[in-house]
Amino acid sequence: MIKKTIHIMMGLPGSGKTTYVEEHTTLKPNHRVISLDNEYYGKRDPINYAAQHAVDYLEVISTDPRCSIDDIWIDGLILSYEDITKLVDKIIYEMSKTSTESWLVFNDDLISVTINIHQYECNRENCLHNDINRYNNGERQLASNISIENTPYVVLDKNQIESLCKTCLESSENEEMHLKYIKFNLEYELLQVKKCGTWELYYKSKGT
């Protein structure tokens, strides 16, 4: 079985999402990062954009024996249960639109896709502290204090996580979805928002 992972970051600005991605991908060539930052200021729907690009990468991974990408990271403002549900549903839907039988031409094997949600706690105080520091040291052109203070954000509860797990597990059993060669599953972790100093933020951003 071919195993691939789609990592989805959830958290307020300043929580540490991008730093987390950098720490887990630096010096690791077998990954792709889909950054949604610019999509929020453009005309595209960032969630549709993320899902389509993730599936594009998976299709290349699964049909080209020369491709060795193991992890896809989605880094952006995924802030609610509605957002993450839409993204997971869209990834599964986009996958179902592809002719999955052709993916077995090279691999002749099942494809296991783990959707791994990394969610940060709701700690607005620490997020504001980190955002001010990264703005002052030039990491960001715009401060995000208004969004941090006012954007609704709640950590997923047990029932919501179980519902997302059920969606993933049942997708392969739905004959109309044409996903009999692909098995989805879901993992979840809750992360703490650390208050970082200017020096620490600067050097983490440089990947040192």
Side-chain angles (χ1 to χ4, degrees), residues 169-185:
L169 293 173
E170 290 182 350
S171 63
S172 300
E173 300 172 3
N174 185 343
E175 293 183 1
E176 295 181 0
M177 296 293 287
H178 306 292
L179 290 169
K180 61 182 179 180
Y181 297 109
I182 303 172
K183 303 297 181 184
F184 282 98
N185 60 86

Side-chain angles (χ1 to χ4, degrees), residues 132-200:
I132 291 171
N133 277 342
R134 68 182 185 179
Y135 174 72
N136 288 339
N137 68 29
E139 285 186 61
R140 294 290 189 273
Q141 294 181 346
L142 297 172
S144 302
N145 57 299
I146 294 176
S147 296
I148 294 170
E149 292 172 344
N150 298 289
T151 301
Y153 179 68
V154 179
V155 170
L156 301 180
D157 62 34
K158 180 180 178 181
N159 290 335
Q160 291 170 335
I161 296 169
E162 288 179 350
S163 178
L164 289 166
C165 289
K166 184 178 180 181
T167 296
C168 290
L169 293 173
E170 290 182 350
S171 63
S172 300
E173 300 172 3
N174 185 343
E175 293 183 1
E176 295 181 0
M177 296 293 287
H178 306 292
L179 290 169
K180 61 182 179 180
Y181 297 109
I182 303 172
K183 303 297 181 184
F184 282 98
N185 60 86
L186 185 133
E187 296 180 359
Y188 174 89
E189 70 168 341
L190 182 63
L191 304 168
Q192 289 185 328
V193 178
K194 298 179 181 179
K195 184 181 287 187
C196 298
T198 302
W199 181 90
E200 186 177 7

Side-chain angles (χ1 to χ4, degrees), residues 21 32 41-42 71 75-76 83 129 175:
V21 173
R32 290 293 183 271
Y41 303 103
D71 297 275
D75 179 19
D83 286 345
H129 172 88
E175 293 183 1

Side-chain angles (χ1 to χ4, degrees), residues 5-60:
T5 304
I6 299 175
H7 303 267
I8 303 173
M9 304 303 301
M10 293 185 69
L12 290 166
S15 59
K17 300 184 299 297
T18 300
T19 299
Y20 185 94
V21 173
E22 290 174 350
E23 289 177 345
H24 286 78
T25 57
T26 300
L27 303 180
K28 295 180 181 179
N30 299 340
H31 72 273
R32 290 293 183 271
V33 177
I34 302 169
S35 176
L36 303 186
D37 284 353
N38 293 332
E39 299 308 314
Y40 280 89
Y41 303 103
K43 296 181 180 180
R44 292 176 176 151
D45 179 334
I47 291 179
N48 285 339
Y49 174 87
Q52 290 166 1
H53 277 64
V55 171
D56 286 345
Y57 283 133
L58 283 175
E59 185 172 7
V60 172

